[in-house]
Amino acid sequence: MRTALISDIHSNLSALEAVLAEIDKHSCQRILCLGDIIGYGPNPVQCADAVAERCEWSLLGNHDFGVLYEPTNFNTIAEQAAYWTREQFERDSRENPDSARKRWNFLGLLPVRKREGDYLFVHGTPRKPINEYLFPEDAINSPAKLAGIFDRIDRVCFVGHTHVQGVFTDDSEFWKPDELTDHSYPIDPQTKAIVNPGSVGQPRDGDPRAAFAILDTSGGDGKHRVEFHRVEYDIEDTIRRIHSIDRLNDFLGDRLREAR
Ligand code: ZN
């Protein structure tokens, strides 16, 4: 089976549509979402509906939690964006109560973790599934942190949250897709790995293109691998939409160009 993995869409509809169209060209049987569907960007309602329609399931990210429940530990810009996002859902509830009810049910039941065999899926880390960040620098600076996280993993864990695409291995290495042959990571049964498909709607790894990954478990030899993908989208369109909304800080648009 070929499974597309998306994460950290952050209400960026242009990026999400470009990624979904690209996934359609790669013979995937299903799409999974690792959370942060909403928060920061200009099109939360449409993004939530597209994920509900196209994904087999989605996890709950810290920004989904912040919008749906309470924006805890957010900076002012993120908190303002969370309250604005919440209001978009509430306004649509008044205007279109039937479709909104379906949407609230989808959002209200987002799980914090999923397991399929010895593959685990969380937004942050297995220790703190919503909130803990695992950064590439941690592989060098915090080997004890990485080891503690790997203790909770049987084989492979898929995470989002940092918006940085790549693979951690349990010998404390981090591999960027550019460092892998064909941007592809062969999953070794002897080595544990943590895989981040990158961010659809707000990449922070210096490459402004939308990111996603494909988990391919269809090899006849029983070998699984992860392919990393990037896709161009209309960044300026998203920036314009953000700039046109007073309560979304212009920075949330401008940062998309820099991918920081
Ligand atoms: Zn995020």
Side-chain angles (χ1 to χ4, degrees), residues 165-167 177 180 183 185 195-197 212-213 226-230:
Q165 196 177 42
V167 184
L180 300 167
H183 299 104
Y185 176 75
V195 175
N196 191 321
F212 69 99
V226 178
E227 302 164 11
F228 292 98
H229 293 266
R230 299 304 278 241

Side-chain angles (χ1 to χ4, degrees), residues 62-109:
N62 58 312
H63 281 263
D64 308 313
F65 181 90
V67 170
L68 295 166
Y69 306 109
E70 193 63 44
T72 43
N73 298 322
F74 278 16
N75 63 39
T76 314
I77 291 175
E79 187 184 88
Q80 246 192 352
Y83 287 129
W84 176 83
T85 300
R86 173 99 192 172
E87 284 172 27
Q88 305 319 300
F89 287 110
E90 284 170 351
R91 194 181 65 188
D92 191 73
S93 286
R94 292 190 294 273
E95 291 168 2
N96 306 292
D98 288 341
S99 54
R101 200 170 305 116
K102 256 176 69 183
R103 187 182 309 121
W104 286 120
N105 282 335
F106 166 71
L107 293 171
L109 292 171

Side-chain angles (χ1 to χ4, degrees), residues 6-26 31 37 42-51 53-55 199-202 209-212 230-235 237-238 241:
I6 63 174
S7 190
D8 297 278
I9 296 151
H10 287 292
S11 306
N12 185 340
L13 187 64
S14 301
L16 179 59
E17 286 176 342
V19 162
L20 292 173
E22 183 68 19
I23 287 171
D24 288 341
K25 298 178 196 162
H26 288 273
I31 307 173
I37 303 165
N43 292 99
V45 173
Q46 296 94 324
C47 286
D49 288 351
V51 169
E53 187 193 319
R54 295 292 312 272
C55 295
S199 168
V200 170
Q202 197 193 81
R209 294 175 299 167
F212 69 99
R230 299 304 278 241
V231 53
E232 307 253 0
Y233 74 97
D234 192 344
I235 293 176
D237 177 56
T238 298
R241 292 189 213 187

